[in-house]
DNA sequence: TAGATTGTTAATCGATTAACAATC
DNA sequence: TAGATTGTTAATCGATTAACAATC
């Protein structure tokens, strides 16, 4: 099902996802320049302000069209408008926020929304104790009103800030009512029909990624054996098979779970405390590491 | 400065970033299985639970080692532990949260932290009205204490939930005090020295990306000319040059800014309201679109 | 042994980057 | 004209995916 190329390249429909994800960064940087009444900006300057490299920025802009002037740079105002239009921010997007806990409150108050064409059409919650209170100057309404609000206000974007257990159900109702884009803050994988977009923001995942890199920093100085396979996994077939079997045999789930981080080297590593900035927090992982931490 | 390959492939140091970013997803799915005491899981099942495809999952796991058993699947408990260890979650990570507004509160209360080895070491705020109050059972302390807390508690991860204007300054202090990983919720590009990791969570950017796709859905049905270059931009050099010059000449910044979305077709499009789910919200973008929306 | 499932290969796709001709 | 800067090319890198041999 290839699209028919129009000229050299089809272009018409396809702005790469990676580029789309950076457009808001450019837009923010440009808006700041605009507020300072800066008339033009070079790819080099703008890239620095947006935190990307200039080749990437120019490539990104090339997907939108030729909006710059060689030898001069880009007209700030013109570019603000073009990017806004490309992102769909020149129209008004009513949004519902479902789940008005701390995070829902934070979002309702978030300044970056209104300034970008997003308008909070309603705040919804299932808890009668919360319904009727107000956040960011808007009343919190009951979930029962979800369908009527989405329909009457033509809401196409929903934000889910409920507890994880409620997220899928809320999602289903939103979709059923006509919402086709969902921003999900609940730590749940949502299932949606084709044609519905879901984006996920997960606070804990971001921290986990940081922890991964932080851990690497700690043991970094020499080319330590960190991350190397164990001998078992490099061994010829039968040995590996035996090792795997052993691992599987090791635990009737629950038992193994409780003991998982509390035996052998794992315990030792844990006891050494966090951080250890610039110092080796754990001994370089040795050959028998992997088997040593197996549930006993 | 290439690393010396050990065998076929160096492997030791390099788990691809894309894989690292998915490990927390697998971990979450596995934790759920573990709580249901499911002993083993196939790549197909686990992939479905994590919302990825199974080939990708197997490829991801292959970077960690050979933890599965052919014909059987993966041992849930064992895999939970291996991924936790790989991510650095078997150690304790004290974290400071700076800026205790709604979002700071939400994070302080976020359950996903504690369960993953993250421990809130302190909540900090600059506002005397907030200092002394408590959130999630912890006292909010004054920014003045930042350095002493980071140093005494060996904090290596900082979370910034301040207003954008304060973010860089807070970041500088965190880094100076010894923090080497920062999770930034403020809509600001942070500058940090080498060796410091910054990850950014931007609520407004996610919504903007959704709006982009939502906009596409609305005008989707026929292969409309949407996104096509204007004749001017496809025209031979001199004409394009003239067009660009015209654009640049169009506005002494402020003037252009005020008028930017308020003239010609842009205004018309804006007036048509949001959504238009399944119906063409805007007329198919025509040839002269781009010039029509230029600041007049 | 037969059925199931992993781990790996290789092809493909998409994103990044440096370099530079085109053009102001 | 000379200096500056864009827009594009092409090389490179990294991620995804289907397919399947290896192995339980």
């Amino acid at each position: 099902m290839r699209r028919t190329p129009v000229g050299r390249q089809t272009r018409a429909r396809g702005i790469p996802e990676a580029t789309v994800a950076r457009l808001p960064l450019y837009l923010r940087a440009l808006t700041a320049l605009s507020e300072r009444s800066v008339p033009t900006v070079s790819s080099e300057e703008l890239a620095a302000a947006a935190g990307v490299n200039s080749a990437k920025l120019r490539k990104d802009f090339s997907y939108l069209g030729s909006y710059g002037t060689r030898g001069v740079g880009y007209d700030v105002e013109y570019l603000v408008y073009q990017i806004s239009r490309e992102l769909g921010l020149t129209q008004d997007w009513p949004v519902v926020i479902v789940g008005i806990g701390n995070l829902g409150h934070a979002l309702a108050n978030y300044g970056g929304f209104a300034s970008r064409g997003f308008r909070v059409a309603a705040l919804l919650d299932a808890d009668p104790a919360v319904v009727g209170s107000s956040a960011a100057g808007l009343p919190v309404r009951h979930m029962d009103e979800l369908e009527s609000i989405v329909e009457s206000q033509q809401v196409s974007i929903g934000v889910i800030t409920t507890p994880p257990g409620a997220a899928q159900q809320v999602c289903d109702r939103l979709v059923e009512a006509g919402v086709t884009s969902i921003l999900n803050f609940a730590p749940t994988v949502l299932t949606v029909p084709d044609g519905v977009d879901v984006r996920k923001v997960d606070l804990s995942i971001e921290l986990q990624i940081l922890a991964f890199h932080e851990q690497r920093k700690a043991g970094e100085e020499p080319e330590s054996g960190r991350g190397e396979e164990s001998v078992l996994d490099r061994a010829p077939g039968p040995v590996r098979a035996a090792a795997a079997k052993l691992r599987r045999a090791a635990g009737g789930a629950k038992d193994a779970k409780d003991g998982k981080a509390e035996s052998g080297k794992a315990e030792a590593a844990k006891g050494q405390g966090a951080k250890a900035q610039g110092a080796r927090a754990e001994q370089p992982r040795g050959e028998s590491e992997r088997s040593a931490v197996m549930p006993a």
Side-chain angles (χ1 to χ4, degrees), chain A residues 41-55 57-58 61 72-74:
Chain A
V41 66
S42 71
S43 62
E44 202 68 58
E45 295 163 330
L46 183 54
V52 303
N53 88 29
S54 66
L57 176 141
R58 287 197 301 278
F61 285 1
V72 177
Y74 299 90

Side-chain angles (χ1 to χ4, degrees), chain A residues 239-294:
Chain A
V239 178
R240 288 170 55 196
K245 191 175 225 164
L246 205 136
R247 292 192 298 246
R248 298 202 46 249
K254 279 306 173 196
D255 301 341
K257 190 186 176 194
D258 294 335
K260 71 175 185 260
E262 306 300 334
S263 58
K265 290 223 180 76
E267 165 71 330
K270 203 171 181 180
Q272 280 171 348
K275 183 129 175 195
Q277 207 187 1
R280 222 158 310 140
E282 315 185 44
Q283 58 267 85
R285 313 277 170 135
E287 302 290 298
S288 56
E289 165 80 0
R290 197 156 285 160
S291 51
V293 298
M294 275 199 272

